[in-house]
Amino acid sequence: MSRLIPRGSSTRAPRHAARLDVLNGEGAFDVLARATELEALGRDVVHLEIGEPDFATPPHVVEAGVRALRDRETRYSPPAGIPALREAIAVTAAERGIRADPADVLVTPGAKPAVFYAILSLVEPGDEVLIPDPGFPIYPSAVRFAGGIPVPYAPDALGRGDVGTLVATVTPRTRVLILNAPGNPTGASLDTATIEAIATLAERHDLAIVSDEIYARLTYDGHPAPSPAAHPLLRPRTIVVDGFSKAYAMTGWRLGFAILPPPLAERVVTLAVNGHSCTPVFVQRAGIAALTGPQRCVADTVAELTRRREIVTAGLDAIPGVRCAPPAGAFYAFPDFTSVLAPANLSIATFASQLLEGCGVATLPGTTFGAAGDGHLRLSFAAAAGLRTALDRIRAAVAALGTPSATRPTPQETLT
Ligand SMILES: Cc1ncc(COP(=O)(O)O)c(C=O)c1O
């Protein structure tokens, strides 16, 4: 393809604003791009990098979207979303104990813009924001973009009413706490006792909460995923973020939403008007079908993910020197490779790169999710293709390191 501006031309690109320098990408999209390049060169790559379900969007959802297109619902929507979808979201929220009026709901093109708008709406320059580490990399990026200071906390240390890990990080400048349960990448969950303790903490320090609940429908072993916003003290200080990408296999439709504290709703809608105007109506019609139609599709998704979780976590845990706990929710395994990598003096980023370039397995190094992810890989089991092949390749790559713990027999092997 010919370039509009020839290389070496004296025409200069405009100077970019410094605020762009604080943003980071998502990692998963970068690795996906490299994996796709390798495939174009004829290499066989197993994709465990991206959190994208391989299920088809449920037919009744597709049908609703197509019908809306045929009915020429192809014009602008009200900026906050069409009333019927805002109503359906409020009703579904009520089923989880969140009291919300349709007027508190902002529909967005994906959950990600809702995360971005929530952070831009709450964070002032110099504010400290507690973010999960390891956690979704967009949180610290958006916080810095707003001029805030991301302060990491360990999401896996929260539980049974113990919020010591949060207490240790709160200062007079702390303004917002970002929660993500079940969480990406560790699957960390929140129980009601912990939500109660968070409510006390939030009241004491006047914290706002952003609660990203995009994986709330994808939990295992009947694990509940209570919303912090169902707590009466937290609802007025919480922005709930959720979306359709994961539970309804709708990543490419781009549909998400925020449930806002009433006084904030109108202002955040104004921010959304500045950002994207509105979400396509035919996509919103599909969203109504997803929420109000049969939920069997979600149950089937959870059943299949449960099967994959078992294969992946058991397969990883059986690799000598590797430890992998089954996640309570979401669709990621987050195994710890520290004891096989440290003796080889190999960083997790180098190991992930070797797995991709040399073994054809695309994963993400845990450091993509923050410093506390060091030593771990994130493997998505949202797609089934090649899962067992990937496990075989990872096992072989670990064995090839030849480090003592990688060659030590597992307890099981010792027994047999
Ligand atoms: C924790 C978390 N929040 C939000 C999103 C974004 O979802 P969406 O596709 O709806 O923008 C993701 C996607 O991976 C995620 O893992």
Side-chain angles (χ1 to χ4, degrees):
M1 203 172 72
S2 69
R3 296 169 61 90
L4 277 178
I5 303 175
R7 211 182 280 279
S9 144
S10 61
T11 311
R12 288 233 198 107
R15 182 177 55 83
H16 69 268
R19 73 174 69 84
L20 294 188
D21 293 335
V22 304
L23 290 170
N24 55 252
E26 206 191 310
F29 285 106
D30 303 333
V31 175
L32 174 62
R34 178 63 189 147
T36 311
E37 254 173 39
L38 290 172
E39 284 174 316
L41 295 172
R43 297 275 305 281
D44 160 41
V45 179
V46 182
H47 289 273
L48 305 184
E49 75 280 40
I50 193 114
E52 176 155 69
D54 59 356
F55 311 105
T57 303
H60 66 281
V61 175
V62 174
E63 188 46 42
V66 170
R67 197 180 322 120
L69 277 172
R70 289 216 180 89
D71 291 347
R72 300 178 57 179
E73 293 207 86
T74 49
R75 294 169 173 254
Y76 288 132
S77 137
I82 56 176
L85 179 55
R86 296 170 85 196
E87 171 78 33
I89 290 168
V91 168
T92 314
E95 287 163 11
R96 297 184 61 222
I98 306 169
R99 290 166 65 105
D101 191 85
D104 309 335
V105 175
L106 165 66
V107 177
T108 48
K112 221 186 231 175
V115 169
F116 203 61
Y117 296 152
I119 291 172
L120 287 186
S121 302
L122 294 172
V123 178
E124 296 271 24
D127 284 348
E128 291 177 4
V129 179
L130 308 186
I131 55 148
D133 179 2
F136 190 45
I138 297 307
Y139 306 142
S141 181
V143 167
R144 285 192 304 267
F145 194 75
I149 302 159
V151 177
Y153 71 86
D156 284 323
L158 293 174
R160 296 170 191 256
D162 182 357
V163 291
T165 185
L166 293 176
V167 173
T169 51
V170 172
T171 77
R173 296 203 315 193
T174 309
R175 166 104 170 89
V176 181
L177 162 63
I178 299 182
L179 297 169
N180 174 215
N184 174 7
T186 69
S189 61
L190 278 178
D191 53 47
T192 45
T194 306
I195 290 174
E196 190 67 50
I198 289 172
T200 307
L201 186 78
E203 285 275 294
R204 187 175 307 140
H205 298 278
D206 194 18
L207 304 180
I209 313 274
V210 176
S211 178
D212 181 345
E213 303 178 10
I214 193 156
Y215 297 105
R217 286 159 191 265
L218 304 180
T219 66
Y220 306 106
D221 309 326
H223 220 94
S227 172
H231 192 290
L233 289 181
L234 288 178
R235 168 72 181 98
R237 43 176 82 244
T238 301
I239 298 181
V240 175
V241 171
D242 202 343
F244 295 72
S245 291
K246 314 291 181 178
Y248 297 99
M250 292 178 71
T251 46
W253 292 76
R254 309 310 301 135
L255 188 60
F257 58 90
I259 301 175
L260 299 148
L264 257 185
E266 208 174 309
R267 290 176 188 276
V268 182
V269 171
T270 305
L271 177 61
V273 172
N274 279 265
H276 71 271
S277 289
C278 59
T279 303
V281 180
F282 58 91
V283 173
Q284 297 189 58
R285 292 274 177 226
I288 294 170
L291 290 184
T292 61
Q295 297 303 300
R296 180 66 198 263
C297 51
V298 182
D300 288 348
T301 295
V302 171
E304 171 58 16
L305 290 175
T306 303
R307 196 184 67 82
R308 294 179 194 172
R309 178 185 77 144
E310 176 59 23
I311 294 170
V312 172
T313 56
L316 289 163
D317 215 35
I319 300 175
V322 177
R323 280 181 316 152
C324 185
F331 39 51
Y332 308 107
F334 202 60
D336 186 355
F337 288 78
T338 310
S339 72
V340 291
L341 296 182
N345 212 6
L346 202 61
S347 75
I348 193 69
T350 306
F351 184 57
S353 163
Q354 287 178 358
L355 277 179
L356 174 59
E357 305 287 333
C359 313
V361 183
T363 64
L364 296 181
T367 40
T368 307
F369 301 89
D374 198 10
H376 295 71
L377 285 181
R378 192 198 76 171
L379 285 72
S380 165
F381 51 87
L387 275 186
R388 288 184 199 276
T389 306
L391 291 169
D392 289 345
R393 291 179 185 175
I394 294 170
R395 174 184 268 272
V398 169
L401 294 173
T403 50
S405 50
T407 47
R408 194 176 302 144
T410 59
Q412 259 172 342
E413 283 167 340
T414 324
L415 285 175
T416 50

